[in-house]
Amino acid sequence: MRVLGIETSCDETGVALYDSERGLLADALFSQIDLHRIYGGVVPELASRDHVRRMVPLVREVLERAGVQRQDVDGIAYTAGPGLVGALLVGGAFARALAYAWQVPALGVHHMEGHLLAPMLEERPPQFPFVALLVSGGHTQLVRVDGIGHYQLLGESLDDAAGEAFDKTAKLMGLRYPGGPEIARLAEQGAPGRFVFPRPMTDRPGLDFSFSGLKTFTLNTWQSCVQAGDAQEQTRSDIALAFEQAVVDTLTIKCRRALKQSGLKRLVIAGGVSANRRLRASLEKMAGGLGGELFYARPEFCTDNGAMIAYAGCQRLMAGQQDEQGLSPRARWPLEQLPAIVS
């Protein structure tokens, strides 16, 4: 089965074509970072309008690169949520109109399920069951995964997601958008040990997260340095390193707990923050120490992309699922509400 995947949940327009027998045939992505950078964050209306401009050219590009005609497409999957409602409407309306014109089924896909299943696109995909850490700009969750749709939420952030904390902290320190990569870049030049930040909620039982206080702690540290006349680039790098280490250590501690409590040995990390090299190295070491394995997607499939939507949609379309009602984008959508695929 060949499925065209369309991703428009936020500020990336992603299109991909996945074949259930041959794997990923082609994918294309347009990022709106330059469009939103001057505003310091995503402007929803501008994001929606840009998705409109990019959709048709990207679909044509993917079909051409895959060497596939439109009559060879068997279904269309699109992101139905969670995300920016306007952006979701653009992608959903386009996908459903295209499916109607091509006379193929359409299916709205959960954005975070797409992220969760992105490592399945690799040559060595994880086998069920496993523990997944979904860590992005909007979500930080630990989930037990026993199959597609068989999800048990183990813990989540009670306030800011890890990626959101990265972006907000960078903005508070005067760094450009998007903040996560800027923090990681500065941290490479940081001096270890100069600043030591707290590891929130690691001193109490449970698998929930909280990053809002860490963000405030970082701001207060930076402001204290500025007031003391120490606003040098090296100081900024040292603070960035301390912040990044605190986030990585917190995520690692919680993942270790999740693996021990579940009795599982496989850990999957997915979402934009999963591309962070320090996080990958820390989790690789932790999982190895427990006799387990770490799985993740290649960097280009960690951030929002059409390939993950095409793959997730293909699995569900092959199971006989498709849209039964009208277009209904969801800004919020609990992962546990998804129907399970019976193998």
Side-chain angles (χ1 to χ4, degrees), residues 29-331:
L29 181 74
F30 183 87
S31 175
Q32 301 175 8
I33 286 178
D34 291 339
L35 175 65
H36 300 287
R37 178 169 283 147
I38 60 174
Y39 302 101
V42 177
V43 181
E45 179 64 22
L46 294 181
S48 301
R49 292 183 181 187
D50 201 64
H51 286 311
V52 173
R53 286 192 288 268
R54 308 297 172 184
M55 200 70 64
V56 171
L58 286 177
V59 169
R60 287 174 174 167
E61 177 184 344
V62 164
L63 293 180
E64 182 178 344
R65 287 169 52 187
V68 170
Q69 302 296 318
R70 67 181 190 181
Q71 58 266 27
D72 298 322
V73 175
D74 302 306
I76 298 178
Y78 63 93
T79 303
L84 302 176
V85 172
L88 294 170
L89 276 169
V90 170
F94 177 82
R96 288 172 62 87
L98 203 60
Y100 180 80
W102 292 359
Q103 297 185 332
V104 297
L107 179 66
V109 172
H110 194 292
H111 179 73
M112 294 311 295
E113 180 173 65
H115 276 304
L116 189 154
L117 297 177
M120 299 296 185
L121 293 165
E122 302 303 314
E123 292 185 7
R124 191 176 68 91
Q127 301 297 311
F128 301 117
F130 55 78
V131 170
L133 171 66
L134 300 178
V135 56
S136 66
H139 297 80
T140 300
Q141 297 178 325
L142 277 166
V143 182
R144 179 186 172 116
V145 181
D146 290 292
I148 297 178
H150 297 268
Y151 306 133
Q152 177 188 356
L153 181 64
L154 303 177
E156 62 184 339
S157 179
L158 303 179
D159 41 58
D160 289 351
E164 182 181 8
F166 265 100
D167 288 339
K168 287 182 176 179
T169 297
K171 189 172 183 177
L172 293 172
M173 292 175 61
L175 302 176
R176 68 177 188 167
Y177 172 85
E182 290 297 300
I183 291 284
R185 179 185 62 80
L186 282 177
E188 293 295 324
Q189 309 302 320
R194 180 181 174 188
F195 298 100
V196 179
F197 288 3
R199 275 59 174 162
M201 295 187 69
T202 58
D203 58 348
R204 65 184 73 177
L207 296 173
D208 287 332
F209 304 89
S210 173
F211 294 105
S212 181
L214 181 59
K215 176 189 63 182
T216 303
F217 190 95
T218 307
L219 173 62
N220 291 338
T221 302
W222 171 244
Q223 289 179 336
S224 296
C225 292
V226 172
Q227 291 171 3
D230 183 12
Q232 300 179 12
E233 190 70 5
Q234 184 59 51
T235 297
R236 202 192 302 259
S237 296
D238 296 343
I239 291 175
L241 175 60
F243 172 81
E244 185 180 58
Q245 286 178 326
V247 173
V248 168
D249 286 352
T250 299
L251 294 172
T252 301
I253 290 169
K254 297 288 185 170
C255 285
R256 181 187 293 114
R257 287 184 189 174
L259 289 174
K260 287 185 175 180
Q261 290 180 20
S262 66
L264 299 177
K265 296 295 185 181
R266 288 182 287 270
L267 175 65
V268 167
I269 55 172
V273 183
S274 69
N276 183 281
R277 289 184 293 178
R278 197 178 303 276
L279 176 61
R280 289 188 177 190
S282 178
L283 292 176
E284 195 97 53
K285 181 178 179 180
M286 180 275 295
L290 295 177
E293 294 180 275
L294 178 68
F295 299 85
Y296 46 77
R298 68 197 79 167
E300 60 266 33
F301 292 160
C302 290
T303 54
D304 295 349
N305 63 87
M308 67 183 192
I309 302 302
Y311 177 85
C314 183
Q315 307 312 305
R316 290 190 172 276
L317 285 167
M318 287 195 300
Q321 297 180 21
Q322 65 183 72
D323 286 348
E324 297 179 356
Q325 300 178 344
L327 181 62
S328 56
R330 308 185 190 186

